[in-house]
Amino acid sequence: GSEIWYTAASSGNARELRAVTPEGVARNVSGYPGMMRLFDVSTPGHVLLSRDNVRMGIYGKAPGDPRERDLSWLDWSLLRQISPDGKSVFFDEENEGIGPNYVTCIRGTNGSPVVRLGEGSAGAISPDGRKALSRIPQPGSPLTIYPTGPGQKTQVDVGGRDLSFPILFLPDSRRVFVAGRGAEGAPAAWILDLETSSWTTLEVAWPGAIRNAAVSPDGSTLAVSMVGGATLLIPLDGGAPKPGPRLEADELVATWHSDGTSIFVQRGGLPLVVTKVNLESGAREPFMELRPADTGGVTRVFNANLTLDGEAYAYGYNRTLSDLYVGDGLL
């Protein structure tokens, strides 16, 4: 009754076993390499705890490839996008050793080596494959434009905007859809011209935060997922938006289908379920279910990214594997 025991980390994920008295006097009880989790302490002093190995990774299938590949790099690879041709994935690596600003990376869906573009959280890769957007995960930081080949990076000032995901290139590889909050704090979205660094506000009464979005194959319309399953179809020429098909509350827009009249929607879980939905009628057609071949320890499959024909795709997964221990002599 003299102490409360718990596991925590001052920074990162390397949790330690700690204790604190009701008066607030804290101490470290024991450290252990990795992520420790406390479950129970018995009256005789036996301690039940685990060492958790938590991983975020990426699986994907290249065009024409009969099988999926694990495209993860280190232990916290967060998928952002698959390229329009399905030949590469764009992601950020958030491994603790990388540092607080993360690293923006590209990797071929054929399993070719990872290419580090530079620090930052990945945003989007252009349809022509020549440039990629990234941003340091700090308020007010500029957008960085990395060349995927030879060249120098450039930056675009965000002008006080609080940007979030999604970030999407339009088919011309010059303009970008960007969501977030304006200087007044209300949800907003813009079209950013990367060549002129000019921002055009989309004059839409956003009902709340944007959960996900996709641009039509011809670049004319944006399909947007809102909270609760609502969707909006927004003409990018400035026309009035109209409601799209109603989705299930836990479904999100994934991408458009190549026919231009349907979208792929996704529901994360195990498995992740992809459904084709007609934009006019709302008619639904099951398309695919995604899960790693080895589901041991997999707790979630999420963020499906598909090419317009659905032939190539990538998705993220979380895996937690734990070793359970009984500790003695710690009192």
Side-chain angles (χ1 to χ4, degrees), residues 13-95:
N13 293 317
R15 295 194 298 259
E16 302 171 315
L17 181 58
R18 300 181 181 183
V20 63
T21 68
E23 294 75 30
V25 179
R27 68 185 181 95
N28 284 347
V29 177
S30 178
Y32 193 84
M35 188 181 296
M36 183 182 291
R37 184 186 305 270
L38 174 67
F39 292 100
D40 202 3
V41 182
S42 71
T43 301
H46 305 302
V47 182
L48 184 67
L49 46 81
S50 68
R51 180 182 182 274
D52 299 341
N53 180 9
V54 182
R55 177 184 180 88
M56 181 181 290
I58 303 166
Y59 273 97
K61 188 178 86 69
D65 197 329
R67 64 185 180 92
E68 295 181 355
R69 300 174 187 269
D70 192 333
L71 302 174
S72 315
W73 182 26
L74 302 178
D75 64 5
W76 210 261
S77 301
L78 179 58
L79 173 69
R80 294 298 184 186
Q81 196 176 48
I82 191 170
S83 62
D85 61 8
K87 294 182 179 180
S88 58
V89 289
F90 186 52
F91 67 97
D92 46 84
E93 180 57 58
E94 301 182 7
N95 170 275

Side-chain angles (χ1 to χ4, degrees), residues 38 97 196 232 260:
L38 174 67
T196 63
L232 285 178

Side-chain angles (χ1 to χ4, degrees), residues 295-312:
T295 58
V298 174
T299 57
R300 186 170 65 116
V301 181
F302 62 98
N303 194 23
N305 278 252
L306 299 86
T307 54
L308 296 178
D309 59 4
E311 168 63 21

